Structure formats: C-alpha cells, structure tokens
Amino acid sequence: MAQMADAQGEARRIGEVIRQARVLQRRSQADVASALGYHQSKVSRLEGGRGTEDVRVLREVAQVLAIPPHHLGLAAASDISPSDPETEDMRRRTLLAAGIAALAAPTVPDTAHQDLVQSLLPGAARVTAEPVPDLQNLRDQVAGVRRLFCTCDYTQLEGTLPVLIGQLRQAISEDPGSSDLSGLLATTYQTSASLLLKQSDQGNAWLAVGRAMAEAERSGDPVVLASSVRVHAHALARDSHTAQAVTLVRHTADQLTGSYDQRSPRYLAALGLLLLRGVTAASSGGDRSATQDFLTEAKEVARYVALDSPDAWANFSPTNVALHGLSAAVVFGNAGVALDTARPLMRRHIPVPERRAALWIEAGRAYSQQGRLADGYQALRIAESCAAQDIRRPAVRELVADMAARDRRRTLPELHRFSRQLGVPA
C-alpha cells in the first residue's frame, strides 16, 4: 500500500510540473499535443498523473516545454549511457506499476467479455441442437442489439452478442452465399467492434473490424460496407493512425456522395455517420481543415435525413452533426466554442441515450478545460442519469480521475465521492 501511495504521489507531482510549465507558457493542451504528435487526451492524462511511467514520452514533453529533466525525475541527457534509459525505465515502471494498475481496473464482467472475444475468433460455427431462427427473426435480433448499444445497456449487449453471432454463423453455414445473412452478421460484428472500442479493448476490436469488413464485402451492400469502413476508421483513429483513418473515410465517402434527394434514409444515414467518423479522426489528428470539410458535408447530408431513435437502423441527424462539432471543439481546446455549441443542444430533446450522454460528457470535458470543475462534475452526473453504463467506460473514468486529481484542496467532496464510486480515486 505504501508503494502504491508513493507511486500515485510521484505521478501526480510529475503531472503538476507538466501542467504548470504549459500554463506558464500560455499553451493549450491541444497545442502541446500537436507539438508532441499525440492526441490532446494524452496531455490531459499526463497532467493528471497517468502515463508518466513512459520515460520516452516524458523526455519528449521535457523538450517541448523546456522542463529541466530532473524536474520530471529523469537523469540529465549528459549523464545517460546507452544502456541507462532501459534501467531508468524499469525503475520508474517498478515505482508506478501499482498506481497505474489501480486506474486500469476492468469494468466489465470477465466471463461475458471472454465469451464475446471467443465468438470473434476463427473456426467453424458452433452447431447447436436448436433450429436456426428464420431471416426475419434474425433481423429483429440484430435490430435489438443495435438498440442495446444506443441505450447504453452494455452489460446485456455483451451477453447477447455471442449468441447472435453464433446463430448467424450457423445460418450462413446452412445457406452459404446469402447476402442478407452476411449483411446482418457484418452489422453484428460492427456493433461488437463499437462496444469493444467503448471498453478501450482495441486489440479485440480489430478482430471484430476484420470480421465486419469480410462479411460486408460478401454482402455486396454498399450501405453495410460503408458502416464497416466507419468502424475500421474508428479503430484506426483510436490507435493514433488518424491520417490513415481520414484517407479511408475520404476515399469511401467520395464513392457514395451525390444525388442525396434520390437516396434512401438508410443509405444517407450510413454516409452521414461515415463523414462524422471523419470529423472525429481529423480532429484527433489536429487537422482543422479536414475536420471542417467533413462537418460541412455531414450537414449537407443531414438536410435530407433525420433518423433519431434508439430503434433506428443508424442514428444520424442534424443533432448528431452538432454533437460532433462540439466534440471537435473540445479536442481542439476551444472550450468556449464547445460550450456555446452545447447550450442549445442542452435544451433540445435527444431521444437516443448514448447521444444524450455524449452531449453532457463533452460539456464536462469543456468545463474541465476551463477549470470549472464543479460545472464539469454536474455535467457528468447528468450524463450518468442519461446512460449510467456509459459513464463507467474507461475514457470517462479517466476524465473523472483527472478532475478529482486537480481538486487538490478537495473543495468538491462530491467529485471525490464520484471518483471513488467509479473506482478511480484521485
């Protein structure tokens, strides 16, 4: 326990040194992140005392912010022999391992998670004695898992997906070449990938992405393929391959654009969501021009379609476009712009819980950027009331831990209680 306390204390001290150096230079987190070649959230985590066990990153931060290395617990460059960085890295990892592990506690049941991962692995479909449901029944089940995702019922979703994947794979084994079944299985794999990305399980998300792309190609349906490309781009961006994600979205969208007034709502929703994934990828990569281009195109598509319901095949509407504009502003460190965008949305009815929660989570990030921790805490509690399970995913837990760590005088006891409730005490 003493070692864990020492580790967390040292991590917080380093994070505060980084934050003070940045503030003194009047630089935003986004600006520093751009200079480092990282996403802004990386800088936020470092300032919150997370990720400080990576010596190479600390050396890059020291150089960008002109921080004397010893202030970050690093040896001066002139004192390091070629073998020393590895030794230094090992020493720091030993010191901080307990603290980092405490922040990385799993938030989902192991058995359900492993069942989902197992269902994504190659191999023959598991044959059961039960008859395979008919096509309409399978369609209804796929719509059901999409609804579970939109309502943020991730626990039930994780338990449902493996069974549905097994049924669809068995159905395809009995009717090979069915484009309808391949399309349904691709959509189910897409949902699996999205869930795993929510859980920050990028490795297994790639399994689902590969499966989704393969089945989408077999289906021959451009809408299903566009949706699979969207989750592929999401996985690329989450692994910091933002330029590749932007290129993938751009190439696919160029093949789908045009004649919007002659396209089905399903087609337009798939295209719109793909463009919004481009917004996320471009903003994550610091590309303001591409971000604006994707937003402009998405707004144009939204003139012709508005699907805003947990029961919709895909949720795309002007509200969803505005939410992505808000998120991009947060990523770029434009908290004031983000909150100006958020205020009218706060008064708007948003029927999809996952989207309502996203609004308040992004507002919480913006308030946090402004140092308005009390407002940020209130926004996150509203998000919790919209979708309790969405608040417990790793990215939001990191935000709460960061906010609690910054309240060093503990003026917001309710924030610290919330942090402990989520298992990420400051």
Side-chain angles (χ1 to χ4, degrees):
M1 292 297 293
Q3 184 187 40
M4 181 180 293
D6 289 345
Q8 292 176 336
E10 172 70 356
R12 286 195 293 268
R13 184 194 68 77
I14 291 172
E16 180 59 17
V17 169
I18 295 171
R19 190 191 70 81
Q20 288 183 1
R22 176 181 62 79
V23 171
L24 285 172
Q25 295 178 33
R26 297 188 177 184
R27 298 175 68 176
S28 68
Q29 288 184 346
D31 176 49
V32 173
S34 178
L36 290 167
Y38 295 124
H39 186 277
Q40 178 192 337
S41 62
K42 178 75 168 181
V43 177
S44 176
R45 288 194 294 272
L46 288 170
E47 292 184 358
R50 296 181 301 285
T52 56
E53 79 282 8
D54 192 326
V55 172
R56 286 168 295 182
V57 172
L58 288 182
R59 288 202 176 281
E60 292 171 359
V61 170
Q63 183 175 2
V64 167
L65 291 175
I67 301 172
H70 67 275
H71 287 187
L72 299 181
L74 303 169
S78 59
D79 297 336
I80 299 176
S81 68
S83 62
D84 283 339
E86 185 175 349
T87 303
E88 182 181 40
D89 185 49
M90 183 65 71
R91 176 181 64 82
R92 185 175 298 279
R93 286 180 183 278
T94 299
L95 177 64
L96 296 179
I100 299 303
L103 292 176
T107 59
V108 295
D110 287 344
T111 301
H113 194 75
Q114 289 307 312
D115 285 347
L116 175 57
V117 172
Q118 190 68 32
S119 72
L120 300 173
L121 296 175
R126 182 183 300 175
V127 178
T128 66
E130 298 294 326
V132 177
D134 61 29
L135 184 60
Q136 186 55 52
N137 184 291
L138 290 169
R139 283 199 181 102
D140 292 343
Q141 289 191 61
V142 171
V145 297
R146 292 301 305 157
R147 178 181 176 81
L148 289 174
F149 184 85
C150 291
T151 56
C152 302
D153 192 346
Y154 302 138
T155 300
Q156 185 174 347
L157 175 61
E158 192 160 42
T160 302
L161 281 168
V163 176
L164 178 56
I165 288 171
Q167 289 178 333
L168 284 165
R169 291 184 64 189
Q170 185 174 343
I172 288 175
S173 71
E174 296 177 5
D175 184 13
S178 169
S179 58
D180 288 334
L181 290 172
S182 288
L184 292 174
L185 184 53
T187 301
T188 307
Y189 283 140
Q190 292 162 18
T191 307
S192 302
S194 296
L195 174 63
L196 291 164
L197 288 168
K198 284 268 190 184
Q199 297 170 342
S200 295
D201 187 354
Q202 271 92 313
N204 287 315
W206 277 112
L207 268 176
V209 168
R211 291 291 209 170
M213 291 297 296
E215 292 299 332
E217 290 176 2
R218 291 190 188 100
S219 77
D221 186 336
V223 172
V224 175
L225 185 57
S227 298
S228 292
V229 168
R230 174 171 54 84
V231 295
H232 188 177
H234 190 183
L236 282 170
R238 288 290 293 271
D239 273 349
S240 299
H241 301 302
T242 54
Q244 294 92 325
V246 167
T247 299
L248 179 63
V249 171
R250 180 76 280 154
H251 174 74
T252 307
D254 284 347
Q255 299 178 58
L256 298 172
T257 53
S259 303
Y260 297 148
D261 58 336
Q262 300 176 26
R263 301 293 188 179
S264 69
R266 185 170 175 267
Y267 183 103
L268 293 174
L271 171 59
L273 289 174
L274 178 64
L275 291 167
L276 292 182
R277 183 54 58 201
V279 171
T280 303
S283 59
S284 297
D287 190 336
R288 292 176 182 269
S289 176
T291 299
Q292 189 55 53
D293 287 346
F294 282 128
L295 274 173
T296 300
E297 292 178 59
K299 287 177 184 176
E300 178 64 17
V301 176
R303 291 177 53 204
Y304 297 90
V305 62
L307 296 178
D308 236 344
S309 163
D311 293 316
W313 175 82
N315 280 281
F316 177 76
S317 68
T319 297
N320 205 2
V321 176
L323 284 170
H324 279 73
L326 159 62
S327 180
V330 172
V331 170
F332 286 125
N334 301 327
V337 173
L339 291 171
D340 286 344
T341 304
R343 288 186 187 99
L345 294 173
M346 292 173 181
R347 297 189 292 271
R348 187 179 301 176
H349 173 60
I350 302 176
V352 181
E354 195 255 351
R355 297 289 86 204
R356 289 203 303 272
L359 164 63
W360 289 100
I361 289 169
E362 292 304 323
R365 292 189 194 281
Y367 284 130
S368 178
Q369 286 180 358
Q370 291 186 335
R372 298 165 60 181
L373 298 182
D375 289 331
Y377 164 73
Q378 291 298 331
L380 292 175
R381 293 313 296 260
I382 294 173
E384 183 185 36
S385 71
C386 299
Q389 291 187 40
D390 208 44
I391 280 291
R392 284 157 178 79
R393 58 191 173 92
V396 183
R397 294 168 69 238
E398 284 185 5
L399 172 62
V400 174
D402 175 64
M403 291 170 60
R406 289 164 57 198
D407 182 31
R408 283 173 290 280
R409 296 185 179 180
R410 305 184 83 81
T411 57
L412 295 169
E414 62 274 25
L415 172 60
H416 293 271
R417 284 195 297 271
F418 190 42
S419 178
R420 290 192 297 273
Q421 177 186 330
L422 295 180
V424 286

